[in-house]
């Protein structure tokens, strides 16, 4: 990074000593950047970022019933599935070399207490058990949130016209414990209530799950890019929106503070979501923590590429790999992406 680029957004995070000294004054023709681009092996030698399948997590949407595989119209290739059908896809996913899944359960009955979020035989709990039974090696991440289980679609307990933070946290702790009891390998709270990481950590520890990591959706923005997911998870809020708990897309310093708080409360992995419009947040997060950073390449990001590719406007494979490369290059260690299966096929 040259010292001349004073406008660079990262400069404020860097001390003078971390800036690279100008070691050479040489310019063209002594310096020819194209030398190292001449052949494919040379380009491979100097390539800085690699997309690898073992760093990807594939999302699944599970519904009660049997023999159900219902396409989500806005997300070609993605389905709501019953557990039997889901297991067939998990077999395919495992054969492709994908090591991790994140589960979103859609219960038969929703209420205003999210009872099914912590029910022992809830759809998410059953799905976790079924996968761990047949594929014990598979990393099963449980998305811990209340919106899929609430009749009103909000991520917490509605009280008056707002969301009751502390009451919601109590339910989230119960949900996390029941997901761990079902066999989840990682708990991923996506609700954005204050203090939930510390409370969930304590709840897990008190119930003998001190070795279960928490992947915190730390900087989760109130984003229009979640649109297709809400069709998939049937979790669109019936009234209002999520702006009183999810972050304002305009804010980056606040995102860093959210990340720092989650780390202080015991997060093992911090997440930035969405990914592509928030690469600066990923890059800045990389500078303040040595913990693994996950990025969620969300539904709308997927749908846009699928739609453009279906119209023949872009080369899907190139654009997907370029997008994921960008997210890794920004500093992510893990990407949750609906493209995971396609990527696994392309890279094999
Ligand atoms: C639940 C949740 C959402 C997503 C992941 N967990 C939706 C939301 O907050 O509205 C979005 C994922 C995606 O768009 O792919 N809180």
């Amino acid at each position: 990074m040259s010292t001349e680029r004073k406008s660079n957004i990262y400069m404020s995070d860097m001390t003078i000593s971390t800036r690279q000294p100008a070691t050479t004054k040489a310019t063209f023709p002594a310096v020819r950047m194209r030398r190292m681009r001449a052949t494919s092996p040379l380009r491979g030698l100097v390539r800085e970022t690699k997309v690898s399948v073992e760093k990807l997590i594939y999302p699944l949407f599970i519904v009660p019933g049997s023999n159900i595989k219902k396409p989500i119209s806005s997300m070609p290739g993605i389905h709501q599935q019953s557990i039997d059908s889901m297991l067939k896809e998990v077999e395919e996913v495992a054969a492709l070399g994908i090591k991790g899944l994140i589960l979103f359960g859609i219960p038969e009955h929703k209420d205003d207490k999210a009872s099914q979020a912590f029910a022992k035989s809830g759809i998410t709990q059953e799905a976790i058990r079924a996968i761990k039974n047949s594929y014990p090696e598979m990393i099963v991440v449980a998305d811990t949130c209340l919106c899929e289980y609430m009749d009103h679609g909000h991520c917490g307990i509605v009280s008056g016209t707002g969301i009751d933070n502390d009451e919601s946290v109590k339910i989230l702790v119960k949900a996390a414990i029941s997901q761990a009891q079902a066999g989840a390998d990682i708990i991923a709270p996506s609700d954005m209530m204050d203090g939930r990481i510390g409370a969930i950590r304590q709840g897990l520890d008190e119930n003998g799950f001190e070795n279960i990591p928490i992947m915190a959706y730390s900087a989760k923005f109130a984003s229009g890019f979640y649109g297709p997911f809400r069709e998939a998870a049937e979790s669109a809020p019936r009234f209002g929106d999520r702006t009183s708990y999810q972050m304002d897309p305009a804010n980056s310093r606040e995102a860093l503070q959210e990340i720092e708080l989650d780390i202080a409360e015991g997060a093992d992995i911090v997440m930035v979501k969405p990914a592509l419009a928030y690469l600066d947040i990923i890059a800045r997060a990389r500078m303040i923590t040595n913990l693994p950073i996950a990025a969620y390449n969300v539904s709308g990001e997927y749908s846009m590429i699928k739609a453009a590719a279906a119209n023949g406007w872009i080369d899907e494979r190139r654009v997907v790999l370029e997008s994921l490369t960008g997210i890794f290059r920004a500093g992510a260690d893990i990407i949750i992406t609906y493209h995971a299966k396609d990527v696994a096929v392309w890279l094999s």
Side-chain angles (χ1 to χ4, degrees), residues 60-63 103-107 123-124 143 148-149 233:
L60 290 172
F61 298 97
I62 307 105
V63 292
L103 304 189
F104 298 95
I106 302 127
I123 182 65
T124 307
D143 180 89
E148 300 107 288
Y149 308 94

Side-chain angles (χ1 to χ4, degrees), residues 84-344:
D84 52 348
S85 163
M86 171 202 74
L87 286 173
K88 288 180 206 146
E89 188 171 19
V90 176
E91 184 178 0
E92 186 194 336
V93 165
L96 284 168
I98 294 166
K99 311 284 184 213
L101 299 168
I102 185 163
L103 304 189
F104 298 95
I106 302 127
E108 186 100 67
H109 301 291
K110 304 187 186 221
D111 58 26
D112 62 356
K113 296 181 188 63
S115 316
Q116 289 300 306
F118 52 88
K120 191 161 186 242
S121 55
I123 182 65
T124 307
Q125 287 78 358
E126 294 292 0
I128 295 168
R129 264 184 222 109
I131 298 173
K132 291 306 289 186
N133 259 331
S134 307
Y135 305 92
E137 313 263 89
M138 186 58 78
I139 301 166
V140 175
V141 182
D143 180 89
T144 307
C145 197
L146 306 183
C147 56
E148 300 107 288
Y149 308 94
M150 290 288 202
D151 50 16
H152 48 63
H154 277 289
C155 302
I157 298 279
V158 171
S159 150
T161 54
I163 308 293
D164 186 329
N165 189 88
D166 300 8
E167 285 306 310
S168 304
V169 169
K170 289 180 195 159
I171 313 277
L172 287 159
V173 172
K174 285 165 73 172
I177 293 168
S178 86
Q179 291 169 334
Q181 282 165 342
D185 297 297
I186 299 180
I187 298 298
S190 68
D191 53 286
M192 289 301 280
M193 296 300 128
D194 289 323
R196 91 274 207 220
I197 301 302
I200 290 174
R201 183 69 273 157
Q202 190 185 342
L204 290 173
D205 289 359
E206 285 169 2
N207 285 273
F209 297 112
E210 53 282 296
N211 290 322
I212 297 294
I214 298 177
M215 176 159 77
Y217 286 71
S218 302
K220 179 174 179 181
F221 290 87
S223 171
F225 288 101
Y226 306 150
F229 174 94
R230 293 181 186 169
E231 177 195 344
E234 299 175 15
S235 65
R238 296 280 150 80
F239 58 88
D241 57 31
R242 303 210 201 288
T243 48
S244 80
Y245 40 104
Q246 296 182 350
M247 282 191 54
D248 183 338
N251 294 358
S252 58
R253 297 191 304 266
E254 185 188 344
L256 297 181
Q257 193 166 5
E258 284 280 10
I259 289 167
E260 282 167 354
L261 282 168
D262 284 358
I263 293 170
E265 289 179 32
D268 300 279
I269 301 170
V270 289
M271 199 196 298
V272 175
K273 178 185 171 191
L276 290 171
Y278 299 87
L279 295 179
D280 59 321
I281 311 291
I282 297 171
R284 292 185 67 180
R286 182 71 292 156
M287 291 173 183
I288 64 161
T289 180
N290 290 319
L291 284 181
I293 296 173
Y296 201 137
N297 177 219
V298 301
S299 56
E301 299 175 293
Y302 176 82
S303 301
M304 290 194 302
I305 290 181
K306 283 286 177 186
N311 278 290
W313 297 335
I314 55 169
D315 176 338
E316 178 174 356
R317 176 182 168 150
R318 274 190 74 182
V319 171
V320 169
L321 291 175
E322 187 175 334
S323 300
L324 298 184
T325 299
I327 299 166
F328 281 127
R329 194 190 59 236
D333 301 288
I334 301 163
I335 302 179
I336 303 177
T337 179
Y338 304 96
H339 298 291
K341 279 166 57 185
D342 289 338
V343 172

